[in-house]
Amino acid sequence: MHYAAGQANRLGNRASNQDRCLVLESDGAVLLVIADGMGGHARGDLAAQACVDTLSRQFRARQGLEDPAQFLREAFREAHRTIQRVGQAQKPPIEPLTTVVACVIQDGVAHWAHVGDSRAYLIRNGQVALRTRDHTRVAEMVESGMLTEQQARLHPLRNHVSLCLGSKPQPPPVTLGPAIYLLPGDILLLCSDGLWSAVSEKSLTRMLDAEDLPRALESLTAAAERASYPQSDNVSGVALRWESSRDAQSIAPQTDNDTQPAAPSPDQTSHDPLDRAIADINEALAEYEHEMLGK
């Protein structure tokens, strides 16, 4: 695999940092994670750290991922249980909570999952091609047409998530995104709401369009921190620019009821990896149009 990756984390105007980031390569795959501990509850930092540690441990333990989407679902569920155990072990017991977004890149294919309002973006040719949809009441109102995106940014309930890890006895449902064949130059950005809520998508894509991706990400998080001063939240992001895979992916990734792979169209006859990737992303974008910003 050939890629460039970086991570950045800033305190903002908060007394403690409850965001956690991870970029980890193991056995031919890469794991990206952002966990944003919820500050309105006790020890959100504890929940975020337990989440990242669990995903890291689960990822290292797997010698190759037969089904990356299933891995993410199971790892999120295990993280939920770990957070609850950690909370109950405190004296007195507490209920730490966190949102999380994670992405596995394997064989040139990106698989992502999320719970809450930490986001994943796919940036292609300088534009946001796809992103996760927040698990918030405000996001539901935008999707139904009750609010515009601009109104949502100012809504008093914009930070109230409807799903997170650590809260209820049973793990929450995990949203799986489409499996996407990556093209050279594609950028994956995972970030906390402290980043995406403070900068426009135009600024986000423009600032990441730089040769030195880690430095660009540092500049982006600093800009988000300045833009929301003096009420800046913790600001975190991990970014990866895909360059190439050693072996072209020739078999479409597996699917289940919760995720749709970017499968080739029936009339596609070319076996060129680039042609296939273009057809794949076009089909995935059509299927997931309702999750794109502004749709």
Side-chain angles (χ1 to χ4, degrees):
M1 291 186 296
H2 298 279
Y3 62 89
Q7 56 183 296
N9 175 254
R10 304 181 75 89
L11 179 63
N13 302 110
R14 298 299 173 90
S16 64
N17 196 329
Q18 303 194 60
D19 288 2
R20 297 293 186 270
C21 312
L22 177 68
V23 178
L24 177 63
E25 181 176 348
S26 178
D27 197 30
V30 182
L31 173 67
L32 312 176
V33 184
I34 289 286
D36 180 359
M38 296 173 63
H41 299 260
R43 297 300 306 274
D45 60 323
L46 199 64
Q49 188 66 55
C51 177
V52 167
D53 288 347
T54 301
L55 268 63
S56 174
R57 183 173 60 253
Q58 296 279 321
F59 185 67
R60 291 179 184 275
R62 304 291 181 94
Q63 297 301 311
L65 301 176
E66 294 184 2
D67 187 341
Q70 181 65 16
F71 161 77
L72 287 169
R73 183 191 290 110
E74 293 176 354
F76 274 34
R77 291 172 176 171
E78 181 58 30
H80 175 83
R81 291 187 285 266
T82 299
I83 292 167
Q84 291 192 320
R85 289 194 295 268
V86 169
Q88 289 301 307
Q90 305 303 304
K91 300 185 182 302
I94 58 175
E95 188 181 71
L97 308 176
T98 189
T99 68
V100 61
V101 60
C103 181
V104 170
I105 301 98
Q106 181 173 267
D107 297 326
V109 181
H111 311 258
W112 64 51
H114 80 290
V115 173
D117 63 353
S118 292
R119 289 184 180 179
Y121 292 84
L122 170 65
I123 301 171
R124 173 166 290 177
N125 296 327
Q127 297 185 0
V128 173
L130 196 67
R131 74 157 172 85
T132 52
R133 186 184 63 178
D134 306 331
H135 294 141
T136 64
R137 174 58 180 151
V138 168
E140 294 172 1
M141 295 168 72
V142 170
E143 185 181 16
S144 67
M146 295 174 62
L147 293 176
T148 65
E149 288 287 346
Q150 184 59 36
Q151 290 170 331
R153 285 180 174 271
L154 304 175
H155 198 280
L157 298 179
R158 62 187 181 278
N159 295 323
H160 290 222
V161 300
S162 53
L163 294 175
C164 63
L165 297 187
S167 59
K168 299 179 180 179
Q170 296 300 317
V174 178
T175 297
L176 299 172
I180 297 295
Y181 285 85
L182 297 176
L183 297 178
D186 282 354
I187 295 174
L188 293 165
L189 171 68
L190 279 61
C191 61
S192 63
D193 65 329
L195 193 159
W196 63 255
S197 65
V199 296
S200 67
E201 285 197 354
K202 182 177 180 180
S203 296
L204 185 152
T205 55
R206 175 179 56 80
M207 296 187 72
L208 289 180
D209 187 20
E211 183 174 350
D212 190 337
L213 184 64
R215 180 175 293 182
L217 183 60
E218 286 286 355
S219 297
L220 177 61
T221 54
E225 187 179 46
R226 290 193 302 270
S228 52
Y229 182 86
Q231 286 84 35
S232 176
D233 195 357
N234 304 150
V235 181
S236 299
V238 298
L240 180 146
R241 180 191 292 114
W242 185 250
E243 297 176 1
S244 68
S245 178
R246 291 179 181 175
D247 300 308
Q249 174 76 5
S250 59
I251 300 176
Q254 295 180 356
T255 183
D256 54 32
N257 292 332
D258 295 316
T259 183
Q260 293 286 337
S265 58
D267 59 349
Q268 183 179 358
T269 58
S270 172
H271 296 287
D272 184 272
L274 182 59
D275 290 343
R276 176 171 183 154
I278 293 172
D280 289 343
I281 188 64
N282 288 337
E283 183 167 340
L285 291 178
E287 293 176 355
Y288 283 80
E289 189 177 66
H290 68 281
E291 291 191 6
M292 296 173 63
L293 183 62
K295 298 293 183 182

